[in-house]
Amino acid sequence: MKRHLPRLARIAGNTALRALPTAVGIVILGFFLLQLAPGDAADVWAGEAGGAPAQATAAMRHHFGLDRPLGAQLAAYLSGLAHGDLGWSARFDVPVTHLILERLPGSLLLSATALVVALVAGVVLGTLMAAHEGRLLDRALSVVALLLYSLPSFWIALMLIVVFSIRLGWLPSGGAHTIGLPESGLAGLADRLRYMVLPVLSLALFYVAIYARLVRVGVIEAKAQDYVRTARAKGLSERRILVRHVLRNALLPLTTVAGMHVGAMLGGAVVVETIYGWPGLGRLAFEAVMGRDFRVLLGILLLSSLLVILANALVDILHGVLDPRVGASHAA
Amino acid sequence: MPPEPAAAALTPGTPAAPAVAAPQLAPVAAPAPLPAAPAANGLLATLRRHPPALIGAGVLLAIAVLALAAPLLFPGDPLAITGAPFLWPGTSLAHPLGTDSLGRDILAGLAHGARVSLGIGFAAAGLGLVVGIALGALAGYLGGWVDAVLSQLIEIFQTLPSFVLLVVLVSIAQPTTATLSGAIALVTWPMVARLARAECRSLREKDFVLAARSLGYGHLRILVHEILPGALPPIIVTASVLVASAILMESALSFMGLGDPNTVSWGSMIGQGREYLRSAWYMSALPGLAITLTVLALNLLGDALNEALNPRRKGTRR
Amino acid sequence: MSAPLLSSAAATLARPRSIAPLLEVANLRIAFGRQEAVQGVSFTLHEGETLALVGESGSGKSLTALSTLDLLPDGAAISGGTIAFAGADLAGLAPAARRALRGGDIGMIFQEPMTSLNPVMTIGQQIIEALRQHQRLSRRAARTRALELLDLVRIADPHRRIEDYPHQLSGGMRQRVMIAMAVAAGPRLLIADEPTTALDVTIQAQVLELIDRLRRDLSMAVLLITHDLGVVGQWADRVVVMYAGRTVEEGDPAALFARPLHPYTQGLLAASPRLEDSHHYTSGPLVEIPGSIASASGQPGCAFAPRCPQAAAACRIAPPPLRQWAAGRQVACPRVLPEDLP
């Protein structure tokens, strides 16, 4: 592993260098979105106060610093961000940062679990499909994949609730854990897992289809490669060839693609969390929209973008770990 | 830099797979003839060859006809109350798909909703295609600082989580059909642009472009006449994917109540049915089925288009 | 050579040497569905000798080699004839036994060393994998043996190279690694399918010389598949010429080059540029064989007849059988060996 460090460091460095202008761009874009929002903090304050005379609103505006020139406001905004200050939530009456950090773990848990479930299921299905290429199982699973890929996630969430919560009563239809039950220990864990099944399924099904198709093609192509023929000529068993040679190469594109989906999953979580009442950033976004709390919305946008950047960086490094050709300074 | 993903891995082709070409085995004397690569203008012939694509095209056509004919088949306001509430599908001839909580006809809602969903879907996809192709082609063909700036812009938009950005945009602007289409287009253009950029970049190096330059053709003419015709096929493949994702996004927004409040959309119908999952779950099930069918049809078409326009070499099977 | 290598070489030398052929291919036929690609190939290979299988692309020589190891591509299958290794008919072996042959008693190397090695595994891992498949070795012992093998195939600095990935090696070195993997278990037969075609000319000689040295030191037989007559002349003990899935001529290289019997062989030799006195570059245009390799099926007679300058009516009636012309020389041409000769 040691000899890989300079290469991995090089990859990490490149990623960071590329991410920097993107992060800056997003931050500035956020500022301009803020300017475009109908009504500013002073209007919100006036609304919360049940109406206020124009003069009082103007004074409040001045107090918030909202009548300063754009450049000054931008500077204030940026310096606030540098200190982790995302503004104040009028709707919830707490700092936005506090609100977001409180809900972040929930979203991370949901999205990460959904991603893992989708990857595992996708790999299993895709390998099965490739093994039976052209035959009945492959065709049947391809149809299933196409179907899963066409389902709206919020609709399947509702239908899952109808089937598993309402009709069968097996799983809860919302929330994160049973109130009153201990939150820790094995019982608590099992309880929490029960609440996670439907939300994770709703989020993951779409991606299972994508990964299954990707793995299917990857395995089929890998099996046709020369090094598989060499492996056979060495007398290796088919199972060993599949695991050590075919899959190791076929799964490489999966890492890149999965990284790209972090952002999409965070977006999909908005609806799924809302439906299941899951305490995460997604539901917070919904509440913010309903409550016209634009600062919270913007904070969620910025944070999730940051998460995407981090995920991409991790994926780049992971890719470098798995594929020794990436980032190599051309030797020999 | 992760390899350029074509159509974001939504198509069966694996753009990110390492392209290690298997060298030719000593070709066996005249094996069974390979199927002829279909020409681009043999599109209809290709569709005929793929029964799933035909089914997809057929379904899509049927839904489009329904959408267009909605005002004729179901005159009047779909939000008007026309019968008793909570009629189950199949129980009343006047309301073949039942009625909702207020007594509004579901079938009429589906038909009118089709107009909205398909309309926004195609408008948003069309706008996204135009913007994406334009910016992507410029970036890929011109290179230099134009490419650097546009690429950075594409990167920024692709980093922003699409649906979150969409929610933000929709909460800024008043939700009308037009603004929804525009917002969705704003979220989907980067994918098209990336693809267009990659295609134009590779085509710009080709000899026929050099020949055109030497004949004195201007950049715009070269771009439009020489490069785009070659770059378009893979981009066309993503068109169906674009429409499908636009429909999904619009329905998600309407479901959450962020759509146009004056229209009936499939998403809003699902949203209204959410409270009645226990008793009248058909209210949410039917519009969702409509969405699934439409998106499925689009995906089938997309798969067929992909096979037609991106012929995959059946690599030497060893 | 290091001590462990000497002992393994001694072990192989101690194997009872028989005069029975090591590999016996009789009337082998291989088909893709209904299309026959190999239509009756026969040859024998004895221990310690190098047999060259010569022919152009499409002659079926690679398929013949792949069929011995049951490595035919999808859709191809043996449709007739037999292959016997060390006296045992391969078709009668259980699948497990056939798999044990691969990399065990029969090793094979291929044409493209770059794509024939797994790009995400180190060469050490790939050699060790081959070793441990056929011998019970601990990880440490396998690694030591792998280092010895790298030394055997003359790769410099094996301690560093063993951790390298294929893309860090040159083409010649990769082919040496392939050879190391193929001989890891001390095979009795090494099949080399166009081992040098993808390599630089200067490296080609080194690799062929390595194969020949290993043949002597490890007491192997070599089945060398090539389209390069120069390679045949320099390294083969016997040569079999194939055309369109059939054997057309067989014999000792020197004799064959001095006096090619079959019109195809004659054409091949005439078409290859040589620096000998009688064939200088300035002596005129290269002679070419007109036409191209025809479909192997649908030809009632000799497959070469459409391109043969000596073709007669009798040639198009039935495919000529391979018959002995002299001791150690066989040819399948009715113009050379009239059918009615005893």
Side-chain angles (χ1 to χ4, degrees):
Chain A
M1 198 63 190
K2 267 202 290 279
R3 68 202 306 252
H4 292 287
L5 278 178
R7 188 174 55 91
L8 293 176
R10 195 173 18 238
I11 294 175
N14 281 339
T15 307
L17 221 62
R18 276 198 333 267
L20 208 56
T22 307
V24 168
I26 290 179
V27 158
I28 295 182
L29 183 70
F31 174 75
F32 283 108
L33 283 174
L34 196 58
Q35 302 306 309
L36 288 171
D40 54 18
D43 290 317
V44 176
W45 168 86
E48 296 279 312
Q55 212 177 14
T57 316
M60 211 57 202
R61 191 160 287 135
H62 180 78
H63 171 77
F64 280 138
L66 293 167
D67 52 358
R68 285 182 296 169
L70 216 59
Q73 287 196 49
L74 178 61
Y77 165 85
L78 288 175
S79 91
L81 272 184
H83 292 104
D85 176 15
L86 285 164
W88 187 269
S89 161
R91 166 112 168 52
F92 297 92
D93 213 22
V94 288
V96 172
T97 316
H98 172 95
L99 204 56
I100 289 181
L101 287 180
E102 190 185 44
R103 301 284 194 102
L104 181 61
S107 280
L108 281 180
L109 181 64
L110 187 65
S111 299
T113 312
L115 192 61
V116 168
V117 165
L119 280 172
V120 169
V123 169
V124 167
L125 278 176
T127 312
L128 261 176
M129 286 159 76
H132 294 257
E133 186 192 352
R135 303 202 295 269
L136 186 62
L137 189 60
D138 180 28
R139 291 185 196 276
L141 285 178
S142 292
V143 170
V144 170
L146 201 57
L147 204 64
L148 288 179
Y149 186 61
S150 310
L151 296 168
S153 60
F154 63 93
W155 181 69
I156 199 64
L158 291 178
M159 296 298 111
L160 284 175
I161 290 178
V162 169
V163 173
F164 289 101
S165 287
I166 297 176
R167 299 281 148 177
L168 293 172
W170 290 350
L171 294 165
S173 65
H177 64 95
T178 317
I179 305 171
L181 224 59
E183 284 197 40
S184 53
L186 214 58
L189 184 64
D191 182 50
R192 293 181 83 89
L193 280 176
R194 277 186 75 226
Y195 279 86
M196 279 180 70
V197 172
L198 290 185
V200 165
L201 258 178
S202 307
L203 206 50
L205 282 176
F206 177 74
Y207 297 97
V208 169
I210 297 182
Y211 299 149
R213 286 171 128 194
L214 209 60
V215 168
R216 178 184 179 275
V217 174
V219 168
I220 289 176
E221 284 190 347
K223 272 170 123 172
Q225 295 299 314
D226 286 347
Y227 54 80
V228 170
R229 183 183 53 174
T230 305
R232 288 217 177 89
K234 289 199 290 200
L236 302 179
S237 69
E238 285 301 314
R239 203 179 70 92
R240 199 189 160 86
I241 293 176
L242 180 70
V243 173
R244 287 212 70 180
H245 291 265
V246 172
L247 280 182
R248 275 207 64 179
N249 281 280
L251 296 185
L252 283 178
L254 212 58
T255 55
T256 324
V257 169
M260 276 169 21
H261 287 153
V262 169
M265 247 188 213
L266 287 173
V270 171
V271 208
V272 170
E273 286 181 20
T274 306
I275 292 178
Y276 288 101
W278 182 266
L281 288 177
R283 202 182 81 180
L284 181 62
F286 177 66
E287 292 167 5
V289 170
M290 291 293 132
R292 306 246 152 262
D293 194 336
F294 200 78
R295 292 229 69 153
V296 171
L297 264 181
L298 192 67
I300 296 177
L301 184 67
L302 291 178
L303 181 68
S304 48
S305 302
L306 180 66
L307 285 174
V308 170
I309 292 178
L310 278 174
N312 282 335
L314 277 174
V315 162
D316 275 350
I317 296 178
L318 182 66
H319 203 223
V321 167
L322 293 175
D323 188 347
R325 293 166 289 183
V326 172
S329 60
H330 300 267
Chain B
M1 182 80 189
E4 306 266 328
L10 298 173
T11 52
T14 32
V20 182
Q24 287 285 342
L25 217 191
V28 172
L34 296 165
N41 56 3
L43 199 55
L44 231 58
T46 312
L47 285 180
R48 261 202 294 274
R49 229 196 311 264
H50 289 105
L54 273 181
I55 298 175
V59 168
L60 204 57
L61 209 60
I63 296 179
V65 165
L66 182 67
L68 287 171
L72 297 169
L73 295 172
F74 306 97
D77 187 2
L79 290 168
I81 296 171
T82 53
F86 292 119
L87 280 175
W88 269 76
T91 54
S92 161
L93 269 175
H95 304 279
L97 289 180
T99 60
D100 71 358
S101 57
L102 292 176
R104 300 180 288 214
D105 184 31
I106 299 240
L107 187 54
L110 283 184
H112 284 267
R115 291 171 73 86
V116 176
S117 293
L118 283 184
I120 296 184
F122 279 97
L127 199 56
L129 266 175
V130 167
V131 173
I133 292 177
L135 292 181
L138 277 176
Y141 180 71
L142 291 176
W145 65 267
V146 174
D147 184 16
V149 166
L150 285 175
S151 289
Q152 187 60 60
L153 200 64
I154 294 175
E155 178 87 13
I156 288 176
F157 271 89
Q158 288 213 297
T159 307
L160 291 162
S162 305
F163 197 70
V164 180
L165 179 62
L166 200 57
V167 169
V168 168
L169 288 174
V170 161
S171 64
I172 291 178
Q174 288 294 77
T176 66
T177 311
T179 55
L180 282 173
S181 306
I184 297 178
L186 202 59
V187 158
T188 53
W189 76 266
M191 186 179 87
V192 180
R194 201 165 218 164
L195 190 58
R197 175 183 176 272
E199 289 292 318
C200 291
R201 256 185 88 163
S202 73
L203 282 174
R204 137 184 106 170
E205 306 299 333
K206 302 270 177 171
D207 286 338
F208 61 83
V209 171
L210 190 60
R213 293 285 306 279
S214 64
L215 285 173
Y217 290 173
H219 285 307
L220 190 63
R221 175 161 179 178
I222 293 179
L223 199 56
V224 172
H225 282 266
E226 311 285 338
I227 293 191
L228 276 184
L232 278 181
I235 300 177
I236 298 295
V237 170
T238 69
S240 67
V241 169
L242 277 178
V243 177
S245 56
I247 292 179
L248 285 173
M249 280 196 255
E250 180 275 325
S251 56
L253 283 174
S254 315
F255 168 76
M256 293 207 302
L258 296 173
D260 190 339
N262 300 320
T263 61
V264 175
S265 136
W266 287 336
S268 65
M269 289 173 75
I270 301 180
Q272 276 156 16
R274 188 177 159 202
E275 308 173 54
Y276 307 102
L277 286 181
R278 271 187 198 281
S279 50
W281 55 271
Y282 64 87
M283 280 177 65
S284 289
L286 290 170
L289 228 72
I291 299 177
T292 307
L293 259 156
T294 312
V295 172
L296 189 62
L298 283 164
N299 285 332
L300 283 172
L301 263 177
D303 275 357
L305 275 175
N306 192 36
E307 279 204 43
L309 297 175
N310 285 344
R312 279 165 68 72
R313 243 172 28 97
K314 296 272 185 211
T316 47
R317 307 273 263 116
R318 314 194 121 257
Chain C
M1 271 197 290
S2 51
L5 266 173
L6 268 174
S7 67
S8 100
T12 50
L13 278 170
R15 280 200 291 251
R17 280 165 136 281
S18 58
I19 45 171
L22 183 63
L23 182 71
E24 220 174 341
V25 174
N27 290 313
L28 182 66
R29 306 177 87 89
I30 301 174
F32 281 84
R34 305 251 306 254
Q35 194 94 13
E36 278 209 325
V38 174
Q39 303 180 358
V41 166
S42 305
F43 58 85
T44 56
L45 181 61
H46 292 82
E47 278 190 36
E49 72 171 344
T50 301
L51 176 71
L53 215 55
V54 172
E56 59 191 78
S57 296
S59 56
K61 53 193 196 297
S62 283
L63 284 174
T64 306
L66 287 171
S67 65
T68 56
L69 281 182
D70 199 19
L71 284 179
L72 287 172
D74 284 340
I78 297 179
S79 54
T82 56
I83 308 178
F85 179 74
D89 184 1
L90 291 183
L93 289 179
R98 284 207 83 164
R99 185 158 72 81
L101 276 180
R102 293 190 215 137
D105 271 344
I106 305 181
M108 187 160 180
I109 62 177
F110 302 93
Q111 179 176 335
E112 285 278 359
M114 179 64 228
T115 54
S116 296
L117 289 171
N118 191 333
V120 301
M121 288 169 71
T122 65
I123 59 168
Q125 286 171 327
Q126 299 189 52
I127 297 178
I128 290 173
E129 191 181 45
L131 277 169
R132 297 186 80 191
Q133 177 66 28
H134 297 277
Q135 298 170 20
R136 294 181 65 92
L137 290 170
S138 72
R139 302 266 291 266
R140 190 162 305 171
R143 193 168 190 281
T144 312
R145 183 92 180 94
L147 284 165
E148 289 169 17
L149 280 168
L150 285 177
D151 193 41
L152 183 67
V153 297
R154 300 260 171 85
I155 286 188
D157 200 5
H159 285 270
R160 192 170 70 91
R161 288 298 185 184
I162 197 172
E163 304 288 355
D164 276 352
Y165 290 92
H167 69 271
Q168 294 171 282
L169 270 54
S170 70
M173 287 165 76
R174 287 182 214 130
Q175 195 60 296
R176 290 169 192 273
V177 169
M178 292 281 296
I179 296 173
M181 290 196 308
V183 305
R188 297 169 71 175
L189 168 64
L190 175 70
I191 305 179
D193 188 356
E194 308 247 23
T196 54
T197 307
L199 301 175
D200 289 340
V201 171
T202 47
I203 309 292
Q204 285 182 13
Q206 290 177 18
V207 170
L208 288 165
E209 191 265 340
L210 172 65
I211 293 176
D212 196 59
R213 180 170 62 82
L214 289 175
R215 176 183 65 92
R216 287 190 313 262
D217 293 346
L218 302 180
S219 201
M220 295 184 305
V222 174
L223 179 62
L224 183 61
I225 296 156
T226 180
H227 62 267
D228 186 341
L229 291 170
V231 166
V232 171
Q234 205 175 354
W235 300 105
D237 296 320
R238 283 196 8 263
V239 57
V240 170
V241 181
M242 285 180 68
Y243 181 81
R246 296 196 185 106
T247 319
V248 297
E249 190 167 352
E250 186 184 333
D252 166 277
L256 198 117
F257 289 171
R259 188 181 170 170
L261 294 173
H262 196 281
Y264 174 62
T265 322
Q266 291 168 355
L268 263 187
L269 283 165
S272 44
R274 297 195 300 189
L275 288 176
E276 262 129 53
D277 299 346
S278 54
H279 295 279
H280 279 291
Y281 283 123
T282 53
S283 68
L286 285 177
V287 180
E288 43 171 59
I289 309 177
S292 60
I293 191 162
S295 161
S297 72
Q299 287 280 0
C302 171
F304 190 60
R307 306 165 74 185
C308 182
Q310 301 175 39
C315 298
R316 299 179 214 274
I317 299 177
L322 189 68
R323 298 176 57 208
Q324 187 167 25
W325 181 80
R329 288 294 294 274
Q330 301 191 55
V331 68
C333 180
R335 305 288 287 157
V336 177
L337 272 180
E339 301 264 343
D340 50 12
L341 226 62

